[in-house]
């Protein structure tokens, strides 16, 4: 954004990778009532983990559908399927799951360190304009669409074409789209659901039922909008595939895609290589000479803000600290996106005596993080000068 590297994603093209969004047929390996959770075998080296809160209210319908397919008792996608009652929000896992149960699960969080993947049974399949959610009969609209007339129009259009026993969530970039675009998107998603159904027919072992699109395609699907000047690609084969995808799904953006033909490597031409070297070290230097120290522990990420040697002697200590903290807040927001940091983040800002300054730094970070697509929560600076983010 404005020639600054804001996000960095790696597409590994590894078919054995266990990626967030992938949908698996898993088998319950162990129930742990103490944690109100279960461990699931999805074929990963470490057993996947699923908590009761991630089971989905429609778990009984999902289990029944899975068993019906395995027993060859279900042929349709869901049109003639009778939904079961919803499970209670505060129930116990041993009351709804048993060891050996087959379940359709989706990776919420990839395996980290000694922990296996975190799973959910609230399966969703994202498209460009809508997200498909089986076993519910509802329509949701992205909260980022604020115009009440447009929200009502979208609700009416989607509710009219929604397949029976499938819920649909309208995505932000669906604004002002017509019924044809939604029909095409829904048809594509229903084909994916049929692929999942077909994969359930012979459950010899836990296995992947549906892969999330490769990173290149999912970023184009989820992020490309009018604010982008261009998408530059240096691989002719990938360029052709992306061009075809855009022409089929978002033809208004196909002209934004460019094939890079320069002599220099693409990352050198757009200054990505240099910024990568400066973005992933333990220390990150800011323009003013101040710097961040970023450290990772098993439980959380810690970011320390330091003023550096260049101090403006014409300003008082509190104002200097405030200026450095505001600059640091902007860089912290960028670092969270570039490094894809998640979980708990604790920032040790330079101490400020003024409560007004502390509130302003909190507001600066909240404002700049609005463009971060990851869900986040930012607490005010504590009396110890620490800010906590999840």
């Amino acid at each position: 954004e404005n020639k600054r590297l804001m996000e960095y994603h790696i597409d590994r093209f590894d078919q054995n990778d266990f990626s967030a969004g992938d949908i698996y047929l898993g088998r319950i390996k162990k129930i742990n009532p103490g944690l109100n959770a279960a461990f699931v075998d999805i074929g990963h080296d470490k057993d996947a983990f699923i908590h009761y809160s991630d089971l989905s209210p429609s778990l009984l319908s999902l289990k029944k559908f899975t068993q019906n397919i395995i027993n060859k008792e279900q042929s349709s996608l869901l049109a003639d399927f009778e939904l079961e009652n919803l499970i209670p929000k505060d129930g116990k896992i041993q009351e709804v799951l048993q060891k050996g149960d087959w379940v359709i699960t989706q990776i919420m969080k990839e395996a980290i360190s000694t922990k296996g993947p975190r799973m959910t049974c609230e399966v969703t399949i994202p498209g460009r304009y809508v997200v498909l959610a089986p076993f519910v009969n509802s329509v949701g609209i992205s909260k980022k669409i604020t115009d009440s007339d447009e929200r009502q129009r979208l609700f009416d259009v989607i509710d009219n074409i929604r397949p029976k026993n499938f819920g649909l969530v309208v995505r932000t970039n669906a604004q002002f789209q017509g019924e044809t675009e939604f029909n095409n998107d829904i048809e594509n998603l229903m084909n994916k659901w049929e692929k999942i159904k077909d994969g359930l027919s012979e459950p010899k072992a836990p296995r992947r039922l549906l892969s999330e699109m490769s990173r290149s395609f999912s970023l184009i699907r989820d992020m490309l909008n009018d604010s982008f000047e261009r998408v530059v690609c240096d691989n002719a084969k990938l360029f052709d595939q992306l061009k075809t995808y855009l022409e089929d799904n978002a033809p208004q953006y196909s002209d934004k895609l460019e094939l890079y033909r320069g002599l220099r490597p693409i990352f050198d031409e757009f200054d990505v290589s240099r910024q990568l070297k400066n973005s992933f070290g333990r220390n990150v230097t800011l323009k003013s000479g101040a710097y961040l120290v970023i450290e990772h522990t098993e439980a959380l990420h810690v970011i320390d803000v330091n003023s550096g040697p260049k101090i403006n002697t014409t300003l008082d200590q509190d104002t200097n600290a405030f200026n450095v903290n505001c600059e640091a807040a902007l860089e912290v927001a960028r670092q969270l996106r570039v490094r894809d940091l998640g979980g708990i983040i604790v920032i040790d800002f330079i101490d400020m005596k003024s409560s007004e300054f502390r509130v302003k730094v909190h507001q600066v970070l909240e404002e700049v993080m609005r463009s971060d697509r990851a869900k986040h929560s930012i607490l005010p600076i504590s009396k110890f000068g620490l800010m906590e983010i999840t």
Side-chain angles (χ1 to χ4, degrees):
E1 293 174 8
N2 300 319
K3 299 188 178 179
R4 295 199 75 206
L5 181 67
M6 296 302 289
E7 293 191 19
Y8 181 62
H9 302 259
I10 299 175
D11 210 342
R12 299 188 188 278
F13 302 104
D14 183 356
Q15 292 304 305
N16 298 316
D17 209 15
F18 288 77
S19 303
D22 287 358
I23 297 172
Y24 282 81
L25 175 64
R27 194 159 205 178
I28 302 299
K29 194 167 180 182
K30 180 183 177 184
I31 302 288
N32 190 321
L35 295 174
N36 205 17
F39 291 92
V40 192
D41 180 10
I42 61 169
H44 193 275
D45 293 341
K46 302 181 182 75
D47 287 337
F49 177 85
I50 187 164
H51 189 266
Y52 184 91
S53 60
D54 298 317
L55 285 181
S56 164
S58 307
L59 175 71
L60 299 181
S61 296
L62 180 141
K63 280 179 62 181
K64 176 182 165 185
F65 177 81
T66 305
Q67 202 58 50
N68 284 355
I69 297 294
I70 292 171
N71 297 339
K72 308 288 193 293
E73 296 172 0
Q74 178 81 28
S75 57
S76 76
L77 294 180
L78 274 189
D80 61 355
F81 183 79
E82 189 172 333
L83 297 180
E84 298 290 300
N85 293 330
L86 304 182
I87 64 171
K89 289 183 179 179
D90 54 354
K92 292 181 169 50
I93 198 157
Q94 63 269 27
E95 295 172 355
V96 293
L97 283 178
Q98 283 79 45
K99 182 180 177 181
D101 282 352
W102 291 100
V103 286
I104 304 172
T105 60
Q106 189 166 23
I107 297 180
M108 288 172 62
K109 191 185 289 185
E110 293 157 18
I112 302 173
S113 184
T114 58
K115 300 172 184 175
R118 176 83 181 253
M119 310 299 290
T120 177
C121 284
E122 204 150 1
V123 173
T124 56
I125 309 173
R128 176 151 182 82
Y129 300 119
V130 295
V131 177
L132 187 74
F135 309 111
V136 292
N137 284 293
S138 62
V139 173
I141 311 287
S142 167
K143 291 179 181 177
K144 292 182 179 178
I145 300 176
T146 54
D147 183 271
S148 56
D149 290 339
E150 178 61 8
R151 288 179 68 87
Q152 187 60 52
R153 183 191 74 85
L154 289 169
F155 180 88
D156 293 340
V157 170
I158 295 298
D159 197 41
N160 188 47
I161 60 176
R162 179 182 61 81
K164 186 182 177 185
N165 291 333
F166 286 95
L168 291 171
V169 179
V170 180
R171 308 187 70 169
T172 307
N173 58 358
Q175 287 187 89
F176 314 119
Q177 300 299 324
E179 190 171 321
T180 303
E181 287 79 11
F182 290 127
N183 272 320
N184 292 339
D185 207 22
I186 292 169
E187 183 181 354
N188 181 36
L189 294 175
M190 293 298 286
N191 288 337
K192 290 184 177 182
W193 177 252
E194 186 166 15
K195 181 180 177 184
I196 290 173
K197 181 182 83 75
D198 293 344
L200 295 172
S201 53
E202 295 180 15
K204 295 177 182 176
R207 63 181 181 279
R208 180 158 46 190
L209 299 172
L210 186 72
S211 271
E212 173 62 294
M213 304 169 80
S214 76
R215 192 63 58 95
S216 307
F217 285 87
S218 62
L219 287 171
I220 290 283
R221 179 194 68 198
D222 295 344
M223 294 181 67
L224 188 57
N225 55 39
D226 292 332
S227 72
F228 279 73
E229 288 182 9
R230 53 182 168 160
V231 176
V232 188
C233 175
D234 67 343
N235 180 295
K237 183 178 179 183
L238 180 59
F239 172 83
D240 289 340
Q241 293 171 342
L242 288 172
K243 191 79 170 176
T244 301
Y245 174 79
L246 283 174
E247 287 171 349
D248 290 344
N249 294 278
Q252 70 272 30
Y253 298 129
S254 62
D255 290 342
K256 290 183 184 283
L257 185 66
E258 293 180 11
L259 178 61
Y260 177 69
R261 302 179 186 274
L263 297 177
R264 299 174 69 200
I266 190 171
F267 273 18
D268 292 346
E269 179 68 24
F270 290 96
D271 195 36
V272 175
S273 299
R274 182 190 65 80
Q275 293 193 54
L276 281 177
K277 288 176 185 175
N278 295 340
S279 294
F280 286 90
R282 178 173 175 265
N283 291 12
V284 178
T285 304
L286 311 179
K287 280 185 178 179
S288 67
Y291 62 96
L292 310 178
V293 181
I294 302 176
E295 305 218 55
H296 171 60
T297 73
E298 185 76 15
L300 45 78
H301 300 278
V302 182
I303 302 176
D304 186 30
V305 180
N306 297 281
S307 58
K310 300 177 185 176
I311 297 294
N312 189 337
T313 54
T314 62
L315 301 175
D316 63 79
Q317 180 183 344
D318 225 29
T319 305
N320 270 321
F322 171 69
N323 291 339
V324 170
N325 285 339
C326 285
E327 184 186 15
L330 300 178
E331 183 60 26
V332 164
R334 189 180 81 93
Q335 288 292 328
L336 297 186
R337 286 177 67 183
V338 169
R339 300 182 187 223
D340 195 24
L341 298 185
I344 300 172
I345 296 115
V346 176
I347 308 166
D348 183 9
F349 283 107
I350 300 171
D351 289 341
M352 297 172 290
K353 294 178 182 176
S354 166
S355 59
E356 183 183 350
F357 281 167
R358 291 198 293 271
V359 169
K360 282 184 178 177
V361 170
H362 179 245
Q363 289 172 342
V364 166
L365 192 56
E366 278 195 323
E367 180 63 33
V368 75
M369 282 191 66
R370 279 187 183 147
S371 58
D372 194 328
R373 294 181 303 134
K375 289 182 181 177
H376 56 268
S377 177
I378 308 172
L379 297 185
I381 296 177
S382 73
K383 64 180 180 180
F384 296 132
L386 304 176
M387 181 185 284
E388 299 165 52
I389 304 175
T390 64

